[in-house]
Amino acid sequence: GESVGLHLPTLSVQEGDNSIINCAYSNSASDYFIWYKQESGKGPQFIIDIRSNMDKRQGQRVTVLLNKTVKHLSLQIAATQPGDSAVYFCAENSRMDSSYKLIFGSGTRLLVRP
Amino acid sequence: GAGVSQSPSNKVTEKGKDVELRCDPISGHTALYWYRQSLGQGLEFLIYFQGNSAPDKSGLPSDRFSAERTGGSVSTLTIQRTQQEDSAVYLCASSLDGPRSPLHFGNGTRLTVT
């Protein structure tokens, strides 16, 4: 079936460096994508979203890039901080049967080295 | 409160017992979702409410699982005759108007079936 997956299950970066977390999606009809951050013991926290009519969107220290040609989504975190250590999920709004559903990938753990 | 509230935060139950999990969405959010997250895994969709109706129940794992939403607000997820494989974190989320707007998650209920 349609799915969202991640290339790297764990990413380790040096504090202050930039981080890039990648995500591949398989449903070319998906039109809305979201990145979430999940810290231990907490629910996923919304970071940034992007609609399919855009290819780039920037937030505070974060940028999401969408490449519809290759069905690829990435999250860039500038000047990574220890507080950025968490699991990051991408999610796609995918049409299934007669309704839309937000489908989550399996997650990438980001570890920030001091 | 400002966010999605779930109760209880932790629940330990014996195999075969019924459990009821509660979710209070963000005020004014018309859409409400239940997801399940097993240890170290991604999010598994269970059910989606728009108002009080559930247009998508496709993720409920078995007929032991049911959910309702009343008054367009509070939702309860009920698991009957719990099994050990039901042990997971059950996450509730709400969004302003459906899967094309960001989901805001609660911190979940950690269910342990002994």
Side-chain angles (χ1 to χ4, degrees), chain B residues 86-104:
Chain B
D86 298 334
S87 295
V89 175
Y90 289 82
L91 290 160
C92 176
S94 68
S95 72
L96 191 60
D97 59 5
R100 285 173 154 165
S101 57
L103 273 62
H104 299 270

Side-chain angles (χ1 to χ4, degrees), chain A residues 62-83:
Chain A
V62 295
T63 301
V64 55
L65 298 177
L66 175 62
N67 186 331
K68 293 181 287 293
T69 302
V70 295
K71 290 183 284 188
H72 185 267
L73 191 68
S74 68
L75 177 70
Q76 300 178 356
I77 304 173
T80 313
Q81 302 170 0

